[in-house]
Amino acid sequence: DQQVKQNSPSLSVQEGRISILNCDYTNSMFDYFLWYKKYPAEGPTFLISISSIKDKNEDGRFTVFLNKSAKHLSLHIVPSQPGDSAVYFCAASGGTDKLIFGTGTRLQVFP
Amino acid sequence: NAGVTQTPKFQVLKTGQSMTLQCAQDMNHNSMYWYRQDPGMGLRLIYYSASEGTTDKGEVPNGYNVSRLNKREFSLRLESAAPSQTSVYFCASSEGWGIQETQYFGPGTRLLVL
């Protein structure tokens, strides 16, 4: 049973516009959420995180929003750049300190 | 500063063969992890080592063993490879153990079991 779900396998966005990547979770014990970015032939790299005591966290062009009642988080990238083209994984943790990853969304930013 | 390194990058095995995937980190991190990534499944934790001298099972440990050789190195062994173990394997490390510790990943080992 997938506890962290990324229902959109891919997303295509024009350069300069907003990219919105979505993630849903089922386990109400999760209280810490992260986004990782992965380029081909490389390992994932940490992008941004949010604790359940917050509903928003910003870091430059990247903002993560958390809606606890809906068990939903989203990553906004504004403005999108071609270098943002990658696979994005959301991950969640709570209780056991182990990360549970979603299946990933492939973002393509075109000129 | 190489971060997390993994060897080999790619390996083909026949069913029943054994092999060891090597991982090393030069960041003086205490915790290390092994994940596998399969299409449509995300990354799943196989084993982890919260600190030197300790190892514990993750979500999918069956068919694998690990050794935390020292603080730098954490190896993953497949004693008798099966086609179901075809996957991309990632090693990761973090400074400490805890949900807010950022994990740093290696480039991965792509394993094909025929």
Side-chain angles (χ1 to χ4, degrees):
Chain A
D1 181 31
Q2 196 75 19
Q3 298 184 69
V4 179
K5 301 177 186 179
Q6 294 178 257
N7 292 319
S8 298
S10 64
L11 176 67
S12 189
V13 172
Q14 189 171 31
E15 182 179 4
R17 300 183 79 89
I18 184 171
S19 295
I20 300 176
L21 293 91
N22 294 303
C23 181
D24 297 294
Y25 61 96
T26 58
N27 190 338
S28 56
M29 293 292 291
F30 289 151
D31 56 8
Y32 194 69
F33 305 88
L34 308 89
W35 286 93
Y36 276 81
K37 177 179 177 179
K38 184 184 178 306
Y39 292 117
E42 295 183 12
T45 55
F46 170 74
L47 191 56
I48 193 168
S49 63
I50 187 167
S51 165
S52 61
I53 62 173
K54 294 185 175 181
D55 53 21
K56 177 182 172 181
N57 189 26
E58 273 183 272
D59 184 0
R61 295 185 298 114
F62 303 91
T63 303
V64 57
F65 294 91
L66 176 62
N67 183 334
K68 290 185 288 294
S69 60
K71 294 192 178 69
H72 177 82
L73 67 154
S74 60
L75 175 69
H76 293 210
I77 307 173
V78 184
S80 302
Q81 299 174 353
D84 296 329
S85 297
V87 177
Y88 290 79
F89 292 97
C90 69
S93 183
T96 64
D97 289 347
K98 299 184 191 68
L99 288 182
I100 306 296
F101 283 84
T103 51
T105 296
R106 183 178 303 276
L107 173 66
Q108 183 181 7
V109 180
F110 60 93
Chain B
N1 209 357
V4 179
T5 56
Q6 293 183 235
T7 55
K9 285 187 168 55
F10 180 69
Q11 183 73 46
V12 179
L13 290 179
K14 294 181 180 176
T15 297
Q17 287 185 317
S18 62
M19 80 161 293
T20 299
L21 283 66
Q22 307 286 355
C23 174
Q25 51 89 10
D26 62 2
M27 296 175 281
N28 200 36
H29 283 174
N30 290 299
S31 301
M32 298 185 74
Y33 314 80
W34 276 105
Y35 291 89
R36 60 179 288 174
Q37 183 194 5
D38 302 296
M41 298 292 290
L43 284 84
R44 292 181 294 168
L45 183 64
I46 304 171
Y47 269 93
Y48 65 97
S49 171
S51 60
E52 187 180 357
T54 69
T55 61
D56 284 289
K57 295 178 180 179
E59 188 183 350
V60 287
N62 290 346
Y64 305 96
N65 284 301
V66 290
S67 295
R68 183 75 183 265
L69 304 169
N70 48 55
K71 192 172 185 181
R72 289 187 63 247
E73 298 171 287
F74 189 38
S75 62
L76 178 72
R77 182 158 177 87
L78 287 71
E79 289 292 351
S80 178
S84 61
Q85 294 177 305
T86 292
S87 188
V88 181
Y89 291 85
F90 290 100
C91 177
S93 70
S94 62
E95 188 170 352
W97 174 253
I99 62 173
Q100 301 204 16
E101 293 287 342
T102 300
Q103 294 186 22
Y104 296 84
F105 285 80
T109 293
R110 187 173 295 273
L111 177 66
L112 174 62
V113 183
L114 301 174

